[in-house]
Amino acid sequence: MEQIVNELPQHIAIIMDGNGRWAQQRGLTRGDGHRAGVRAARQIVMACRERHIPFLTLYAFSRENWGRPRAEVSLLFSLLTQFLGDEVENMVANGIRLQVFGEVGTLPAPVRSALESALRRTAKGGEMTVNLAMNYSGREEILRAVRRIAASGINPGDITEETFRAHLYSAGQPDPDLVIRTSGERRLSNYLPFQTAYSELYFCETHWPDFTPAELDRALAWYAGRERRFGLTSDQLSEK
Ligand code: IPE
Ligand code: IPE
Ligand code: MG
């Protein structure tokens, strides 16, 4: 059978997991783990930019993460605010447009204003889109789309997949071709349930702070060797 070789993924979605375990193994605090995680995120954004990946989505904070200890939640928010401030110039210089997937309205004011300013300043970036999933819940994203569609007064029979997609945070973007989750768990944790219906799922043991561009290349090489069938048979695909 002919080996199907995929092009580079157009959209990579990453679940940056394992900051806590990384820190624990080193006798450090969870906060130290999150700080190291931010450094890894910065490197991976640039590595994807260099590899001409047009869309990257990073899971930074889930709606469920509000249940963590208050001090950890505040630290995550302050690291994020700092990250946005530090990175915005670099994003602009590299043609990166920032988008947010998630509910911005209920975030603390400093996070909200850092996000809004970064969105505004990077709005013209035409080389790459980086989506930050922030206060994100996939089920909530679907419910939000349903509410908006219902409020639009559209005739139920006229609701198509396109209508639905247009009401997701990811409107106008391709679905993730590749989902990467670090640190060993094999679950999606409420991440992009609609958009990942046909994504290839890559799981690795590496904790997020240790996920380097070389690890990214391993994931890309794995992806390149997958046969994406979308319901068809291998024979049908090789005829194409
Ligand atoms: C991922 O690392 C970062 C966030 C969820 C914000 P974790 O903090 O979940 O690390 P583990 O899973 O406890 O090791
Ligand atoms: C998913 O990781 C959320 C982020 C990476 C931001 P979690 O660590 O919160 O997921 P669970 O709790 O292990 O499913
Ligand atoms: Mg975790």
Side-chain angles (χ1 to χ4, degrees):
M1 193 190 74
E2 207 182 312
Q3 175 76 25
I4 310 282
V5 177
N6 291 312
E7 302 289 325
L8 275 180
Q10 294 299 291
H11 186 170
I12 303 180
I14 306 186
I15 304 174
M16 309 184 288
D17 198 18
N19 294 348
R21 280 162 282 176
W22 179 91
Q24 192 174 28
Q25 285 176 354
R26 286 162 179 75
L28 302 170
T29 66
R30 291 183 63 84
D32 295 327
H34 294 314
R35 269 184 279 273
V38 172
R39 287 196 289 275
R42 186 177 289 133
Q43 266 203 324
I44 293 302
V45 169
M46 287 319 293
C48 287
R49 173 71 185 81
E50 286 158 14
R51 287 157 183 71
H52 306 288
I53 307 287
F55 295 92
L56 172 67
T57 304
L58 298 174
Y59 208 174
F61 190 85
S62 73
R63 198 182 53 164
E64 291 74 23
N65 289 148
W66 282 107
R68 294 189 178 198
R70 242 203 5 232
E72 181 168 343
V73 173
S74 329
L75 179 77
L76 283 167
F77 287 150
S78 75
L79 288 175
L80 185 94
T81 309
Q82 207 182 319
F83 170 80
L84 291 167
D86 293 347
E87 283 307 295
V88 73
E89 283 311 324
N90 184 37
M91 289 193 278
V92 172
N94 283 285
I96 297 174
R97 181 176 69 135
L98 188 79
Q99 297 270 278
V100 184
F101 287 5
E103 206 195 312
V104 176
T106 50
L107 290 169
V111 190
R112 218 165 51 220
S113 65
L115 278 171
E116 280 159 5
S117 141
L119 292 179
R120 210 170 37 244
R121 291 174 65 191
T122 63
K124 292 204 174 74
E127 298 297 324
M128 179 189 187
T129 298
V130 173
N131 306 304
L132 266 192
M134 190 63 206
N135 197 13
Y136 177 81
S137 149
R139 288 177 177 169
E140 183 55 36
E141 179 184 30
I142 289 171
L143 290 171
R144 172 180 175 271
V146 170
R147 284 186 210 108
R148 290 179 174 216
I149 292 167
S152 76
I154 188 174
N155 177 349
D158 293 336
I159 302 172
T160 61
E161 187 173 321
E162 277 63 50
T163 320
F164 196 81
R165 286 180 176 279
H167 288 87
L168 296 173
Y169 293 118
S170 54
Q173 300 191 17
D175 286 338
D177 301 293
L178 173 63
V179 175
I180 297 175
R181 184 173 189 143
T182 58
S183 209
E185 308 309 333
R186 291 169 177 250
R187 57 175 172 259
L188 291 174
S189 303
N190 207 6
Y191 195 38
L192 307 169
F194 186 91
Q195 298 90 334
T196 56
Y198 264 104
S199 304
E200 299 293 327
L201 308 180
Y202 180 85
F203 299 102
C204 65
E205 298 302 315
T206 311
H207 299 311
W208 176 250
D210 287 335
F211 192 84
T212 56
E215 292 263 351
L216 173 69
D217 287 335
R218 266 195 281 284
L220 292 173
W222 175 86
Y223 172 80
R226 305 309 305 157
E227 185 188 54
R228 303 188 73 189
R229 283 197 289 270
F230 300 102
L232 307 182
T233 68
S234 294
D235 288 348
Q236 287 176 299
L237 290 167
S238 49
E239 278 160 22
K240 279 198 178 166

mmCIF file of all heavy atoms in Angstrom, residues 9-34:
data_model
loop_
_atom_site.group_PDB
_atom_site.id
_atom_site.type_symbol
_atom_site.label_atom_id
_atom_site.label_comp_id
_atom_site.label_asym_id
_atom_site.label_seq_id
_atom_site.Cartn_x
_atom_site.Cartn_y
_atom_site.Cartn_z
ATOM 1 N N PRO A 9 0.829 20.242 8.878
ATOM 2 C CA PRO A 9 -0.513 20.624 9.322
ATOM 3 C C PRO A 9 -0.724 22.126 9.145
ATOM 4 O O PRO A 9 0.207 22.917 9.336
ATOM 5 C CB PRO A 9 -0.517 20.243 10.807
ATOM 6 C CG PRO A 9 0.906 20.030 11.193
ATOM 7 C CD PRO A 9 1.657 19.694 9.945
ATOM 8 N N GLN A 10 -1.928 22.500 8.754
ATOM 9 C CA GLN A 10 -2.254 23.921 8.638
ATOM 10 C C GLN A 10 -2.617 24.493 9.999
ATOM 11 O O GLN A 10 -2.516 25.690 10.229
ATOM 12 C CB GLN A 10 -3.441 24.109 7.671
ATOM 13 C CG GLN A 10 -3.115 23.729 6.247
ATOM 14 C CD GLN A 10 -1.986 24.578 5.693
ATOM 15 O OE1 GLN A 10 -2.147 25.766 5.465
ATOM 16 N NE2 GLN A 10 -0.816 23.965 5.503
ATOM 17 N N HIS A 11 -3.078 23.615 10.869
ATOM 18 C CA HIS A 11 -3.507 24.068 12.201
ATOM 19 C C HIS A 11 -3.086 23.026 13.237
ATOM 20 O O HIS A 11 -3.453 21.855 13.126
ATOM 21 C CB HIS A 11 -5.042 24.246 12.186
ATOM 22 C CG HIS A 11 -5.591 24.842 13.448
ATOM 23 N ND1 HIS A 11 -6.901 25.267 13.552
ATOM 24 C CD2 HIS A 11 -5.031 25.084 14.660
ATOM 25 C CE1 HIS A 11 -7.113 25.753 14.759
ATOM 26 N NE2 HIS A 11 -5.992 25.641 15.457
ATOM 27 N N ILE A 12 -2.308 23.453 14.196
ATOM 28 C CA ILE A 12 -1.915 22.594 15.327
ATOM 29 C C ILE A 12 -2.580 23.133 16.582
ATOM 30 O O ILE A 12 -2.543 24.344 16.836
ATOM 31 C CB ILE A 12 -0.377 22.593 15.535
ATOM 32 C CG1 ILE A 12 0.349 22.155 14.269
ATOM 33 C CG2 ILE A 12 0.011 21.697 16.703
ATOM 34 C CD1 ILE A 12 1.879 22.133 14.416
ATOM 35 N N ALA A 13 -3.202 22.257 17.343
ATOM 36 C CA ALA A 13 -3.788 22.661 18.627
ATOM 37 C C ALA A 13 -3.051 21.909 19.733
ATOM 38 O O ALA A 13 -2.910 20.686 19.657
ATOM 39 C CB ALA A 13 -5.281 22.334 18.655
ATOM 40 N N ILE A 14 -2.565 22.641 20.716
ATOM 41 C CA ILE A 14 -1.734 22.003 21.752
ATOM 42 C C ILE A 14 -2.393 22.109 23.131
ATOM 43 O O ILE A 14 -2.908 23.172 23.510
ATOM 44 C CB ILE A 14 -0.322 22.635 21.813
ATOM 45 C CG1 ILE A 14 0.335 22.609 20.424
ATOM 46 C CG2 ILE A 14 0.549 21.897 22.822
ATOM 47 C CD1 ILE A 14 1.785 23.087 20.394
ATOM 48 N N ILE A 15 -2.379 20.988 23.848
ATOM 49 C CA ILE A 15 -2.770 20.966 25.260
ATOM 50 C C ILE A 15 -1.463 20.938 26.048
ATOM 51 O O ILE A 15 -0.774 19.918 26.102
ATOM 52 C CB ILE A 15 -3.656 19.745 25.591
ATOM 53 C CG1 ILE A 15 -4.891 19.730 24.682
ATOM 54 C CG2 ILE A 15 -4.045 19.759 27.081
ATOM 55 C CD1 ILE A 15 -5.777 18.480 24.830
ATOM 56 N N MET A 16 -1.130 22.100 26.593
ATOM 57 C CA MET A 16 0.183 22.268 27.242
ATOM 58 C C MET A 16 0.060 21.734 28.672
ATOM 59 O O MET A 16 -0.195 22.480 29.609
ATOM 60 C CB MET A 16 0.551 23.758 27.250
ATOM 61 C CG MET A 16 0.446 24.437 25.876
ATOM 62 S SD MET A 16 0.998 26.151 25.880
ATOM 63 C CE MET A 16 -0.325 26.966 26.779
ATOM 64 N N ASP A 17 0.240 20.434 28.847
ATOM 65 C CA ASP A 17 -0.008 19.830 30.155
ATOM 66 C C ASP A 17 1.298 19.388 30.815
ATOM 67 O O ASP A 17 2.267 19.055 30.124
ATOM 68 C CB ASP A 17 -0.961 18.634 29.987
ATOM 69 C CG ASP A 17 -1.610 18.229 31.301
ATOM 70 O OD1 ASP A 17 -1.611 19.036 32.258
ATOM 71 O OD2 ASP A 17 -2.121 17.093 31.373
ATOM 72 N N GLY A 18 1.296 19.370 32.149
ATOM 73 C CA GLY A 18 2.402 18.784 32.899
ATOM 74 C C GLY A 18 3.351 19.770 33.569
ATOM 75 O O GLY A 18 4.395 19.364 34.073
ATOM 76 N N ASN A 19 2.956 21.038 33.633
ATOM 77 C CA ASN A 19 3.810 22.010 34.333
ATOM 78 C C ASN A 19 3.982 21.629 35.803
ATOM 79 O O ASN A 19 5.079 21.748 36.365
ATOM 80 C CB ASN A 19 3.187 23.413 34.294
ATOM 81 C CG ASN A 19 3.133 23.986 32.888
ATOM 82 O OD1 ASN A 19 3.755 23.449 31.978
ATOM 83 N ND2 ASN A 19 2.391 25.068 32.730
ATOM 84 N N GLY A 20 2.895 21.178 36.425
ATOM 85 C CA GLY A 20 2.933 20.819 37.850
ATOM 86 C C GLY A 20 3.847 19.628 38.092
ATOM 87 O O GLY A 20 4.686 19.627 39.001
ATOM 88 N N ARG A 21 3.690 18.600 37.254
ATOM 89 C CA ARG A 21 4.520 17.401 37.434
ATOM 90 C C ARG A 21 5.993 17.688 37.145
ATOM 91 O O ARG A 21 6.881 17.185 37.825
ATOM 92 C CB ARG A 21 3.990 16.263 36.536
ATOM 93 C CG ARG A 21 2.788 15.570 37.159
ATOM 94 C CD ARG A 21 2.012 14.771 36.143
ATOM 95 N NE ARG A 21 1.164 15.644 35.328
ATOM 96 C CZ ARG A 21 0.427 15.215 34.305
ATOM 97 N NH1 ARG A 21 0.466 13.947 33.967
ATOM 98 N NH2 ARG A 21 -0.326 16.064 33.643
ATOM 99 N N TRP A 22 6.246 18.520 36.161
ATOM 100 C CA TRP A 22 7.627 18.919 35.849
ATOM 101 C C TRP A 22 8.264 19.547 37.082
ATOM 102 O O TRP A 22 9.399 19.221 37.456
ATOM 103 C CB TRP A 22 7.600 19.917 34.684
ATOM 104 C CG TRP A 22 8.940 20.437 34.253
ATOM 105 C CD1 TRP A 22 9.747 19.906 33.292
ATOM 106 C CD2 TRP A 22 9.607 21.617 34.748
ATOM 107 N NE1 TRP A 22 10.892 20.680 33.160
ATOM 108 C CE2 TRP A 22 10.826 21.724 34.046
ATOM 109 C CE3 TRP A 22 9.297 22.576 35.714
ATOM 110 C CZ2 TRP A 22 11.732 22.757 34.273
ATOM 111 C CZ3 TRP A 22 10.191 23.603 35.947
ATOM 112 C CH2 TRP A 22 11.395 23.691 35.238
ATOM 113 N N ALA A 23 7.521 20.447 37.739
ATOM 114 C CA ALA A 23 8.053 21.142 38.916
ATOM 115 C C ALA A 23 8.235 20.175 40.081
ATOM 116 O O ALA A 23 9.275 20.185 40.756
ATOM 117 C CB ALA A 23 7.107 22.279 39.304
ATOM 118 N N GLN A 24 7.242 19.331 40.264
ATOM 119 C CA GLN A 24 7.303 18.395 41.389
ATOM 120 C C GLN A 24 8.528 17.491 41.296
ATOM 121 O O GLN A 24 9.220 17.264 42.290
ATOM 122 C CB GLN A 24 6.035 17.545 41.401
ATOM 123 C CG GLN A 24 5.871 16.751 42.688
ATOM 124 C CD GLN A 24 4.525 16.029 42.720
ATOM 125 O OE1 GLN A 24 3.969 15.678 41.662
ATOM 126 N NE2 GLN A 24 4.008 15.807 43.909
ATOM 127 N N GLN A 25 8.837 17.036 40.089
ATOM 128 C CA GLN A 25 10.012 16.172 39.907
ATOM 129 C C GLN A 25 11.306 16.876 40.254
ATOM 130 O O GLN A 25 12.312 16.234 40.502
ATOM 131 C CB GLN A 25 10.098 15.704 38.440
ATOM 132 C CG GLN A 25 9.097 14.636 38.105
ATOM 133 C CD GLN A 25 9.141 14.255 36.621
ATOM 134 O OE1 GLN A 25 9.849 14.862 35.820
ATOM 135 N NE2 GLN A 25 8.381 13.229 36.267
ATOM 136 N N ARG A 26 11.286 18.199 40.229
ATOM 137 C CA ARG A 26 12.502 18.968 40.511
ATOM 138 C C ARG A 26 12.487 19.608 41.882
ATOM 139 O O ARG A 26 13.352 20.437 42.183
ATOM 140 C CB ARG A 26 12.659 20.061 39.448
ATOM 141 C CG ARG A 26 13.100 19.505 38.129
ATOM 142 C CD ARG A 26 12.851 20.458 36.979
ATOM 143 N NE ARG A 26 13.323 19.843 35.735
ATOM 144 C CZ ARG A 26 12.675 18.865 35.090
ATOM 145 N NH1 ARG A 26 11.519 18.411 35.560
ATOM 146 N NH2 ARG A 26 13.175 18.333 33.993
ATOM 147 N N GLY A 27 11.482 19.295 42.671
ATOM 148 C CA GLY A 27 11.368 19.907 44.001
ATOM 149 C C GLY A 27 11.066 21.403 43.928
ATOM 150 O O GLY A 27 11.393 22.159 44.834
ATOM 151 N N LEU A 28 10.434 21.825 42.839
ATOM 152 C CA LEU A 28 10.082 23.243 42.675
ATOM 153 C C LEU A 28 8.590 23.436 42.940
ATOM 154 O O LEU A 28 7.842 22.465 43.106
ATOM 155 C CB LEU A 28 10.432 23.692 41.245
ATOM 156 C CG LEU A 28 11.902 23.531 40.818
ATOM 157 C CD1 LEU A 28 12.069 23.782 39.323
ATOM 158 C CD2 LEU A 28 12.801 24.471 41.628
ATOM 159 N N THR A 29 8.151 24.679 42.939
ATOM 160 C CA THR A 29 6.727 24.949 43.146
ATOM 161 C C THR A 29 5.974 24.832 41.823
ATOM 162 O O THR A 29 6.566 24.933 40.752
ATOM 163 C CB THR A 29 6.503 26.379 43.681
ATOM 164 O OG1 THR A 29 6.909 27.303 42.656
ATOM 165 C CG2 THR A 29 7.319 26.633 44.939
ATOM 166 N N ARG A 30 4.655 24.671 41.911
ATOM 167 C CA ARG A 30 3.844 24.621 40.683
ATOM 168 C C ARG A 30 4.009 25.921 39.893
ATOM 169 O O ARG A 30 4.022 25.917 38.669
ATOM 170 C CB ARG A 30 2.365 24.395 41.020
ATOM 171 C CG ARG A 30 2.078 22.997 41.578
ATOM 172 C CD ARG A 30 0.576 22.817 41.831
ATOM 173 N NE ARG A 30 -0.180 22.910 40.585
ATOM 174 C CZ ARG A 30 -0.374 21.898 39.744
ATOM 175 N NH1 ARG A 30 0.119 20.701 40.013
ATOM 176 N NH2 ARG A 30 -1.065 22.067 38.641
ATOM 177 N N GLY A 31 4.164 27.025 40.634
ATOM 178 C CA GLY A 31 4.372 28.321 39.978
ATOM 179 C C GLY A 31 5.634 28.301 39.114
ATOM 180 O O GLY A 31 5.640 28.817 37.997
ATOM 181 N N ASP A 32 6.704 27.690 39.654
ATOM 182 C CA ASP A 32 7.936 27.570 38.858
ATOM 183 C C ASP A 32 7.648 26.779 37.587
ATOM 184 O O ASP A 32 8.178 27.091 36.515
ATOM 185 C CB ASP A 32 9.038 26.853 39.653
ATOM 186 C CG ASP A 32 9.492 27.638 40.874
ATOM 187 O OD1 ASP A 32 9.490 28.887 40.804
ATOM 188 O OD2 ASP A 32 9.834 27.004 41.897
ATOM 189 N N GLY A 33 6.812 25.758 37.721
ATOM 190 C CA GLY A 33 6.446 24.941 36.559
ATOM 191 C C GLY A 33 5.717 25.784 35.523
ATOM 192 O O GLY A 33 5.993 25.684 34.324
ATOM 193 N N HIS A 34 4.802 26.620 35.977
ATOM 194 C CA HIS A 34 4.068 27.457 35.020
ATOM 195 C C HIS A 34 4.996 28.482 34.365
ATOM 196 O O HIS A 34 4.864 28.766 33.178
ATOM 197 C CB HIS A 34 2.891 28.160 35.705
ATOM 198 C CG HIS A 34 1.834 27.196 36.169
ATOM 199 N ND1 HIS A 34 1.359 26.181 35.371
ATOM 200 C CD2 HIS A 34 1.165 27.083 37.354
ATOM 201 C CE1 HIS A 34 0.435 25.489 36.045
ATOM 202 N NE2 HIS A 34 0.314 26.014 37.249
#
